[in-house]
Amino acid sequence: GNSVTQMEGPVTLSEEAFLTINCTYTATGYPSLFWYVQYPGEGLQLLLKATKADDKGSNKGFEATYRKETTSFHLEKGSVQVSDSAVYFCALRRNNAGNMLTFGGGTRLMVKP
Amino acid sequence: NAGVTQTPKFQVLKTGQSMTLQCAQDMNHNSMYWYRQDPGMGLRLIYYSASEGTTDKGEVPNGYNVSRLNKREFSLRLESAAPSQTSVYFCASFYDTHTGELFFGEGSRLTVL
């Protein structure tokens, strides 16, 4: 079946540090991949997505590249801010399988001034 | 634009009590979903409704029932609450099949004593 594995948190960084949150997946076929972000007290919001191999999704300084050969979709940001403190979820949607997403366990990021 | 609205935001129940979580979206989306969020486990799909008049089980449906009252509203009912159902519940609706973006409500925190 489908599954998504993320690095366990919390990840604690100083402001302006480089961020990587690892995400690997297991799925049949060629899924679409997503990163969602959950700020404190809120629901999840789409951060970025990639729908095919070698695509790079980007938004708000965050990037992730769909790597089929390593079944990975790692999230990166060159310089984090305190306002980036949130929980980040990697997710996949298997194409031609309805509209359902499978989520990873989430990684909490804490950025200190 | 309200988006996805959930009520109540907080609820405390005793074991065996029943309650209904309400969800409404004003974006004219066809698909709606109920997820539960537990620490370290990400979001798990309870039930979903691909269109008005249809509902299907997700990954963890036991102990829950749903009703798709109309295109806007999708409710989740706990007939006899158990401590294992203590969780944060999120309702979501689907934007379109191409982008794969889910829109989430702010969540409902349920505690079962």
Side-chain angles (χ1 to χ4, degrees), chain A residues 34 49 93 99, chain B residues 29-31 93-103:
Chain A
F34 306 84
K49 65 181 186 292
R93 184 187 67 147
N99 300 328
Chain B
H29 292 171
N30 286 324
S31 300
S93 66
F94 200 78
Y95 181 50
D96 64 56
T97 57
H98 177 64
T99 67
E101 179 172 6
L102 284 176
F103 285 79

Side-chain angles (χ1 to χ4, degrees), chain A residues 27-57:
Chain A
T28 56
Y30 305 97
S32 297
L33 301 173
F34 306 84
W35 278 101
Y36 278 79
V37 58
Q38 182 182 30
Y39 298 105
E42 299 183 10
L44 281 72
Q45 308 171 24
L46 179 66
L47 181 60
L48 53 84
K49 65 181 186 292
T51 58
K52 61 182 187 295
D54 299 324
D55 268 1
K56 177 184 285 187

